[in-house]
Amino acid sequence: MSDERTFDEDEVSEIFALAANTEEPGLPVRTERRGMTLAELQEVGREVGLSPERVAAAAARLETRVATPPRAMAFGTPTAVGRVVDLPRSPTDREWGVLVSELRQTFGARGRETSRGELREWTNGNLHAFVEPMAGGVRLRLGTRKTGSKEIFGFGMVWLVAGLFLLVTAGLDAVTFGTTMATLIPALMTLAGGGLVGWNALRLRGWASERERQLEHVAGRAVALLETPASPEDEAS
């Protein structure tokens, strides 16, 4: 990474947090508008006991951006989420085992894992984690989807539209429907359909937010695990 690269205030804080192995914000360093170079960050880190190597490694880790594939959507709410991150290198068998353990702990699921050469995968229902070779490197592809959500939306919309139609019909044809009590059933249908659609949308947003947080965590752990060279014992395993 070139020293010409500058980091803004938020990036400086994140780099020092990574270098200190903490999830808390890093040193409150005030930067000029132009930002700080890696050499300047290393100088500041040296003053507080962080080696230049640790600061450089943290800056390199920050540069490993996690890509966010487009969400699958239904009625404006997410039904599938994912993350894709370029890995520093292929994991060894032992490191893959560590990643699988992290996946199981993060998602509370045993899942199934398989390895075929450089292609490794862990799946648990709709949840998946793939380590895939690609031109110029290796990537980790994470993703999951929520089944049944579209069907719930469809069922709710049928009740909502049918209830609204019957309400309008009841209002326009008082002779056929008699008293206002005739609107009770379509009103309940409308409320039930709208409530089902609203509940499903809120449920999906909460699910997507939680899953994306978990996927980000696993991606970060994978990069941190593989940013240093594999030990001879791991390579031999």
Side-chain angles (χ1 to χ4, degrees):
M1 180 168 47
S2 171
D3 284 359
E4 293 302 313
R5 162 74 156 98
T6 60
F7 302 88
D8 61 29
E9 199 164 332
D10 290 338
E11 290 175 323
V12 168
S13 180
E14 186 174 351
I15 286 170
F16 283 121
L18 292 171
N21 287 331
T22 175
E23 295 183 359
E24 297 301 319
L27 298 175
V29 179
R30 295 295 300 176
T31 67
E32 300 175 10
R33 176 168 293 186
R34 67 176 179 86
M36 296 181 69
T37 65
L38 176 58
E40 291 169 334
L41 288 173
Q42 290 173 315
E43 183 61 32
V44 174
R46 192 179 288 111
E47 293 174 3
V48 295
L50 294 174
S51 70
E53 292 76 17
R54 288 180 68 100
V55 175
R61 184 173 165 190
L62 181 68
E63 290 293 276
T64 306
R65 300 296 181 182
V66 179
T68 305
R71 288 172 162 183
M73 307 290 287
F75 294 91
T77 56
T79 59
V81 296
R83 289 293 185 272
V84 178
V85 59
D86 292 339
L87 297 177
R89 57 178 175 81
S90 295
T92 63
D93 289 344
R94 178 184 176 279
E95 289 166 338
W96 172 241
V98 172
L99 285 177
V100 169
S101 296
E102 187 70 38
L103 286 161
R104 288 171 174 168
Q105 181 177 352
T106 300
F107 296 103
R110 177 173 177 79
R112 296 178 57 187
E113 63 95 8
T114 58
S115 298
R116 295 188 299 276
E118 286 190 283
L119 179 63
R120 302 174 186 270
E121 62 182 62
W122 178 86
T123 57
N124 185 75
N126 295 319
L127 179 64
H128 64 262
F130 300 144
V131 174
E132 305 168 326
M134 48 184 267
V138 182
R139 71 181 179 186
L140 172 65
R141 184 159 54 89
L142 303 162
T144 186
R145 60 187 176 88
K146 193 73 167 176
T147 57
S149 54
K150 292 181 180 179
E151 290 78 6
I152 294 175
F153 271 128
F155 187 73
M157 288 300 297
V158 168
W159 275 65
L160 178 61
V161 172
L164 288 173
F165 174 78
L166 291 175
L167 277 175
V168 171
T169 304
L172 295 176
D173 194 358
V175 175
T176 301
F177 284 86
T179 66
T180 56
M181 286 297 294
T183 63
L184 179 61
I185 292 179
L188 290 176
M189 290 176 62
T190 302
L191 288 174
L196 189 59
V197 170
W199 167 80
N200 197 39
L202 290 174
R203 178 181 70 106
L204 285 173
R205 289 193 181 100
W207 167 84
S209 177
E210 174 66 10
R211 282 292 182 264
E212 287 181 327
R213 183 192 65 79
Q214 292 171 323
L215 296 179
E216 290 274 6
H217 169 75
V218 171
R221 291 285 293 142
V223 172
L225 178 65
L226 301 174
E227 65 186 359
T228 57
S231 66
E233 293 81 7
D234 285 349
E235 289 179 341
S237 63

